[in-house]
Structure formats: C-alpha cells, structure tokens
Amino acid sequence: SPYKFYQFWLNQPDEDSEKYIKIYTFLSKEEIDELISKHKEAPHLRQLQKVLAEEVTTMVHGKDELENAIKASEVLFGKSTAEDLRSLDANTFMAVFEGVPQATISKSELAEGLNIVEALTERSNFLSSKSEARRDLKSNAISVNKEKVSEDYQLSEQDLLADQYVLFQKGKRNYFILIIE
C-alpha cells in the first residue's frame, strides 16, 4: 500500500537516507546538499527522511496517494482529528491499523444504538470488564474515532468509518477496531 511504502522511506536511518535521496529522487545537487546540511543541524526533525518519503511516494504512487499516506501517518502518530480519520478510505484505514485487535458485530446490533460500555466489553472484548470500562470512561481515557466519549455514549451508524469500522482508543497507543458487517 502507498501508506506502507511511505512509512518504509520515512523510517530509513540517517546514513541510508543520505545515499537514497541522491539515488531515488530528481532533486538537484544543491537541494540535496542543503537538505543534508539542515538535517545534520537538527536530525530529530527527520527532514531528510520526510523529503525522501514524499519524493519517492509521489513518483511511484502519485500526489493523491502521498496525501493519503501523510494523513494516515498523522492519524496513527500525530495530532490528527476525527475529520482526518473519516477521510481515509477502507484500504488505507486497514493499512494504518494492520495488526490492531478486532472484533466483528452485525449492522443490526448498531442500528438501534449500542451502549459504549457494552461495545467495549461484551461486544468486542477490548476491555475485560464493565467496571474497567466505566472507570476508563470516567477518567476520559476512551476515544471513539479519535473523540473522547463518556459512559452514556451510544454507538450508532454515524460512527462508522469507511462505512464499516469504528476505532476505539484507550490512552495514546492502545487501539481496537470494531468491524460492522
């Protein structure tokens, strides 16, 4: 997928990025030298890797797919919004959240509204107990599609991403996908 391709180039070590930017891009020698110099001043910003990933992804997959890959990357690692999440298509969504635990429920279970505590426990097993779910909801640790929710939240078809997914999150990095079929 374009997302994985973009991530591959974004995660190259500094030394390799210096080589690859000369080989795999059409940037001028001056542009490359300036980028390498800026990168050495502030390597933690990973400017070299970002430009490399953007250039190569655009060349192979096109500008639209690069934009998708950047959005997807922000969803997982950055300060993305629910709107960014909603803009992902099904393939990009699943590429971003590959390996994330999942459960499936029927569309009819969601049609009339599904209480968040039940969705987090009995319907998904994301959380082990209703008391844990209530405690996490009260402490504002649970998000549905990147938005914090409370104990009285009802999941509905309006929560569907790409017409079939709901993304649960506990804390910063603990994700779970509810698939609705």
Side-chain angles (χ1 to χ4, degrees):
S1 80
Y3 168 74
K4 287 182 184 174
F5 188 84
Y6 175 77
Q7 285 298 316
F8 170 80
W9 292 104
L10 197 59
N11 290 313
Q12 292 301 309
D14 291 354
E15 318 79 65
D16 291 346
S17 293
E18 282 187 38
K19 282 190 297 192
Y20 294 154
I21 202 144
K22 295 172 186 174
I23 298 169
Y24 295 114
T25 71
F26 294 115
L27 298 174
S28 70
K29 181 180 180 350
E30 293 77 24
E31 290 172 303
I32 291 171
D33 289 345
E34 186 179 335
L35 256 174
I36 291 171
S37 173
K38 281 183 179 176
H39 180 75
K40 286 182 177 174
E41 289 171 20
H44 64 282
L45 296 177
R46 301 183 60 75
Q47 286 178 296
L48 191 60
Q49 285 88 343
K50 287 177 185 173
V51 172
L52 176 64
E54 289 172 9
E55 290 289 318
V56 178
T57 303
T58 300
M59 200 179 331
V60 174
H61 293 284
K63 193 77 174 154
D64 288 346
E65 290 297 339
L66 169 66
E67 296 303 320
N68 247 348
I70 290 171
K71 259 190 255 173
S73 191
E74 282 297 307
V75 164
L76 199 53
F77 303 110
K79 300 277 188 227
S80 66
T81 63
E83 192 176 319
D84 294 333
L85 190 59
R86 289 188 182 284
S87 72
L88 299 179
D89 61 35
N91 289 339
T92 305
F93 180 87
M94 287 312 284
V96 170
F97 294 104
E98 181 183 8
V100 169
Q102 314 173 345
T104 304
I105 65 168
S106 70
K107 219 170 195 154
S108 62
E109 289 180 84
L110 193 66
E112 296 166 19
L114 179 59
N115 176 273
I116 189 65
V117 173
E118 198 167 303
L120 292 168
T121 56
E122 293 172 6
R123 295 291 185 265
S124 68
N125 291 319
F126 176 43
L127 301 178
S128 58
S129 70
K130 287 183 176 185
S131 59
E132 177 188 2
R134 286 187 186 97
R135 190 172 45 251
D136 288 342
L137 288 159
K138 280 187 177 114
S139 67
N140 217 20
I142 302 292
S143 297
V144 171
N145 300 336
K146 293 282 183 182
E147 293 180 337
K148 298 288 185 191
V149 295
S150 62
E151 191 178 337
D152 59 353
Y153 191 80
Q154 295 286 313
L155 282 182
S156 71
E157 290 181 4
Q158 291 178 333
D159 292 307
L160 291 179
L161 302 169
D163 293 324
Q164 66 189 76
Y165 307 113
V166 176
L167 180 68
F168 295 147
Q169 185 176 356
K170 178 180 175 179
K172 288 191 186 279
R173 299 251 185 260
N174 198 355
Y175 292 102
F176 191 94
I177 298 170
L178 191 60
I179 301 172
I180 289 69
E181 292 181 338

